[in-house]
Amino acid sequence: MADRRKLVVGNWKMNGMKAQLGEVEAIGTLAAAHPGVDVGLCLPATLIAAADAGKGGAFVGAQDCHMKDSGAHTGCLSAAMLAEAGATWTIVGHSERRQDQGESDADIAAKALAARAAGLKVILCVGESLDVRDAGDAEAVVSAQLLASLPDGAAGDWLAIAYEPIWAIGTGRIPTMDAVDAMHRALRDALAGRIGDAAQAVRILYGGSMNGDNAAELLAIADVDGGLVGGASLTAAKFAPIVQAAA
Ligand code: 13P
């Protein structure tokens, strides 16, 4: 098996004010104490610059970027702007943006390329609805979604994938360990079909109700290379057992 460093990333979504910068600092300290794990926080853009100063051993990332460098796109942020603020990673294609903002697979591939051009590393999210899961089509549908949103030049030194079943996000429900195992294998196979052996170096994270109670079991699955964590990343106390489980 390829030697992939575990990557544990908090996604704060639309949470976090300056009052929470102490949690960023505490997570930075936690990250510095676990140098064998890549630890980061994808924050609201308003906190990126301030968080950069106190990030310790963690990296600071964004949650989205625009696919264009600049222009008449009111309210949007370019990858270069986020990089200048201190982000070194960004999420693209989170299911909440696919749903709320109607982002297409092509949009997401374009955003990933724009992020890379600005020097950001990228976490590309994919995942199925409960209907798809119940119909037994999850691996095929999510593999197709991955290939449709995969940017050209995909490689492990700048791109990670996050498998986030939509029905597991914020619900406290997670797939069976066998289902996670099957999905992560399917995604790596799909990647290998597109980029060959380079697929072995691409980290595939699990996301969706990951917490201190289930992280160790999830992270022990061969093709689970880390986690993308929502609610349980908002405080260092909740995030710590997940980072420890990855170490
Ligand atoms: P929760 O960990 O809150 O379920 O969120 C997962 C997620 O969407 C991370 O991007």
Side-chain angles (χ1 to χ4, degrees):
M1 198 187 72
D3 186 19
R4 295 181 293 267
R5 273 171 70 87
K6 289 276 197 292
L7 173 61
V8 177
V9 181
N11 173 12
W12 278 22
K13 309 189 180 186
M14 199 171 72
N15 299 290
M17 308 286 278
K18 285 181 186 167
Q20 276 76 54
L21 285 170
E23 293 295 342
V24 174
E25 253 177 67
I27 288 168
T29 302
L30 172 73
H34 295 86
V37 185
D38 291 337
V39 177
L41 289 176
C42 290
L43 297 171
T46 47
L47 287 185
I48 289 173
D52 189 39
K55 67 183 187 298
F59 64 78
V60 174
Q63 300 172 8
D64 176 53
C65 67
H66 200 273
M67 66 274 278
K68 297 263 171 62
D69 292 343
S70 63
H73 304 287
T74 302
C76 297
L77 296 170
S78 73
M81 291 169 180
L82 296 162
E84 187 181 66
T88 51
W89 286 75
T90 188
I91 296 170
V92 298
H94 194 282
S95 60
E96 288 152 16
R97 291 199 62 85
R98 290 180 185 260
Q99 283 178 342
D100 295 355
Q101 275 76 33
E103 293 185 3
S104 69
D105 290 328
D107 292 336
I108 291 155
K111 286 173 179 229
L113 284 179
R116 185 188 187 195
L120 297 179
K121 296 180 182 179
V122 171
I123 299 170
L124 166 60
C125 301
V126 292
E128 83 283 1
S129 66
L130 192 54
D131 285 353
V132 167
R133 169 60 60 185
D134 288 345
D137 295 335
E139 283 94 12
V141 167
V142 180
S143 297
Q145 188 188 33
L146 173 61
L147 293 180
S149 39
L150 196 71
D152 289 344
D157 60 348
W158 71 278
L159 185 76
I161 308 300
Y163 165 56
E164 299 205 303
I166 296 167
W167 53 274
I169 295 175
T171 61
R173 297 177 59 196
I174 61 169
T176 64
M177 296 299 150
D178 283 351
V180 175
D181 182 39
M183 180 62 78
H184 281 240
R185 284 172 196 270
L187 294 177
R188 196 168 310 281
D189 284 350
L191 271 177
R194 178 71 64 85
I195 64 172
D197 286 348
Q200 296 304 318
V202 177
R203 290 177 287 188
I204 306 178
L205 317 183
Y206 171 79
S209 295
M210 186 182 261
N211 59 41
D213 293 331
N214 60 29
E217 205 179 355
L218 285 162
L219 292 167
I221 297 171
D223 278 289
V224 174
D225 305 313
L228 186 57
V229 184
S233 72
L234 294 173
T235 65
K238 285 187 181 165
F239 202 39
I242 303 176
V243 173
Q244 283 154 10

